[in-house]
Structures are given as structure tokens and as C-alpha cells.
Amino acid sequence: MAKIFLATLGVGKGTWGHVSRIISEQEFDKIILVSTEWVKENFNPQKDAEWILINNRAGFDIIKDEIKSKLPLGELVVSIISGSGKEHTALLGALKEAKMDYSLVILTGGGTKFY
């Protein structure tokens, strides 16, 4: 089964480095980033990535449904360190509605941890 990294990316560049490090330090079969067109134009993931483009000003259900319609099959490793609460909740809601299992990934002082 493919190991897929799925992350939200917010417009605030402060957390982009966190996502970049996970992408560069871990091996994934596919990388999918959930964000806006502006972020896609300004973020360089260093590896090939697919994008789920959202309008972060849209309503919650619109964002959730857009994400849900593009969720891939595979072993999902999710990062919600970047982005807004609405984007995080939409992603988690989409995963729950689709009945998809996932693990969380985060960088810590002790290295990369999976939950």
C-alpha cells in the first residue's frame, strides 16, 4: 500500500519549514498538499507534490467536500501543523466521513514522531 503524506499549508510562512523538513527527511510514495492557489505559487516542496486547492474563505462544508473528493487510497500520514483551524477541521472531517485511517506526524526536539 502506498505511503502518502497529506498536509495542510496555511498562508503564514512560519510553519512551511516544518512541512518542508518532513517532506525532505521522510520517504513517501506520494505527497499531497491542501492549500490555496497563492501558497502553491509560493511554496516549493522540493519533491513532486499534488495539490488540493481550496478557497480558504469558502464555507466549511465546501472545503471539506473538496478535500474529501480528492482523498487518495493508501497509508495516510497527516500533518496539520500549518494552516487554520477551519482547514484542519475540514481535513479531519473529510477523513472521518470517508472512514479513512491515518497517523499524525510532527517534528519534535527528539526527531520526527508518528502518532
Side-chain angles (χ1 to χ4, degrees):
M1 186 178 323
K3 186 174 180 182
I4 302 163
F5 179 62
L6 177 62
T8 55
L9 270 177
V11 295
K13 295 180 181 181
T15 53
W16 289 7
H18 191 105
V19 175
S20 289
R21 277 193 51 208
I22 292 171
I23 290 170
S24 66
E25 294 176 4
Q26 300 295 314
E27 289 298 320
F28 299 104
D29 297 307
K30 185 185 282 191
I31 298 165
I32 301 175
L33 304 172
V34 178
S35 197
T36 64
E37 184 69 41
W38 183 86
V39 172
K40 181 180 179 184
E41 293 171 4
N42 291 281
F43 178 76
N44 182 1
Q46 303 294 325
K47 293 182 182 177
D48 288 338
E50 295 177 19
W51 292 83
I52 298 176
L53 296 177
I54 59 167
N55 174 354
N56 60 355
R57 294 183 179 171
F60 170 80
D61 284 323
I62 293 170
I63 296 171
K64 176 189 55 75
D65 291 343
E66 182 64 26
I67 294 169
K68 184 179 169 187
S69 73
K70 296 180 179 165
L71 286 174
L73 295 176
E75 177 189 347
L76 296 179
V77 178
V78 175
S79 171
I80 55 173
I81 197 71
S82 183
S84 73
K86 181 165 76 170
E87 294 160 356
H88 301 156
T89 307
L91 173 58
L92 294 174
L95 290 167
K96 184 165 181 79
E97 281 188 4
K99 297 182 170 105
M100 297 185 77
D101 291 327
Y102 60 91
S103 61
L104 294 174
V105 60
I106 190 163
L107 296 176
T108 69
T112 304
K113 295 201 176 178
F114 296 86
Y115 298 93

